[in-house]
Amino acid sequence: MNARRRFAGAAALCACMMPGTFASRAFSAEGIDPVTLMAIGDDESDYVVFDHVADPARATRLRFVGVAQSRQPGYDYPVGISLAFVVPTGEFRYDYYPNPYDWHYSLPQPTEGGEYVSVPIDISYELPFSPERVGMFVEGYGPADRSFVEGTFFHTVVPEPSAVVLALGVLTVGVPLAWRRFHSPRAAE
């Protein structure tokens, strides 16, 4: 009977703690935002910025999934697309991954029928911290840019180590207790 009480107490404690842990993580950790950016003009750029959870102890995953198109007939030119984030240096300054000046996507011109050619884009990056603001940056490199980028921007805080430890603790304590309970000589009677 003593083992059953301990098991019930441990299960009740875990049941009370887990919803709060998962709710707090879901409340502040997820960001899924639609993005539409255009760089129009000679070497023009465009950007979008979102608020995020500022926590230097937690990692963040940034990801953009979408397409890019050239809407300028007669030109094949590159466009730079980057994930942006505020660096934790004390000053309000953005950094980029990949650097838009080093990494380019080649955008083919529209077809003769006037259809735009979509280039799939999938960029992801994991930061060792959670910045207060994140976003995207688009830089056109053509003589008369008409770059169009559309998709979804994800910014997610990596699961808290405490939630993982709690789940492992429940498995480590709960599974052996349940095993003993159901395989004891009294349970067979």
Side-chain angles (χ1 to χ4, degrees):
M1 189 70 163
N2 195 11
R4 287 183 185 171
R5 285 186 186 157
R6 276 193 244 156
F7 178 73
L13 178 65
C14 292
C16 291
M17 290 174 64
M18 288 183 83
T21 301
F22 292 128
S24 66
R25 188 170 29 149
F27 174 76
S28 63
E30 299 292 330
I32 302 172
D33 300 291
V35 171
T36 301
L37 297 172
M38 294 189 81
I40 300 175
D42 191 20
D43 293 331
E44 282 297 310
S45 62
D46 194 6
Y47 64 92
V48 64
V49 178
F50 303 101
D51 289 330
H52 189 67
V53 181
D55 185 350
R58 294 171 63 192
T60 294
R61 283 190 193 107
L62 304 177
R63 185 174 185 199
F64 173 74
V65 179
V67 296
Q69 299 173 341
S70 167
R71 298 213 172 164
Q72 180 64 36
Y75 291 103
D76 290 341
Y77 60 86
V79 65
I81 303 171
S82 298
L83 305 173
F85 49 92
V86 174
V87 293
T89 59
E91 61 184 63
F92 196 78
R93 183 176 70 81
Y94 281 95
D95 201 354
Y96 304 96
Y97 175 83
N99 188 319
Y101 305 107
D102 297 337
W103 184 264
H104 304 137
Y105 295 92
S106 181
L107 301 181
Q109 60 182 308
T111 64
E112 289 183 13
E115 293 180 26
Y116 303 122
V117 179
S118 294
V119 175
I121 307 294
D122 189 346
I123 307 169
S124 62
Y125 187 60
E126 187 166 318
L127 301 167
F129 62 93
S130 289
E132 61 184 89
R133 302 202 28 107
V134 295
M136 279 188 56
F137 176 77
V138 173
E139 172 75 31
Y141 295 108
D145 295 325
R146 291 190 64 171
S147 304
F148 176 80
V149 177
E150 183 175 46
T152 305
F153 179 70
F154 302 89
H155 48 107
T156 308
V157 174
V158 176
E160 299 173 4
S162 61
V164 174
V165 169
L166 179 63
L168 289 174
V170 168
L171 290 174
T172 303
V173 173
V175 170
L177 286 176
W179 179 268
R180 254 199 280 170
R181 178 177 179 218
F182 292 112
H183 290 88
S184 72
R186 280 197 278 179
E189 293 175 1

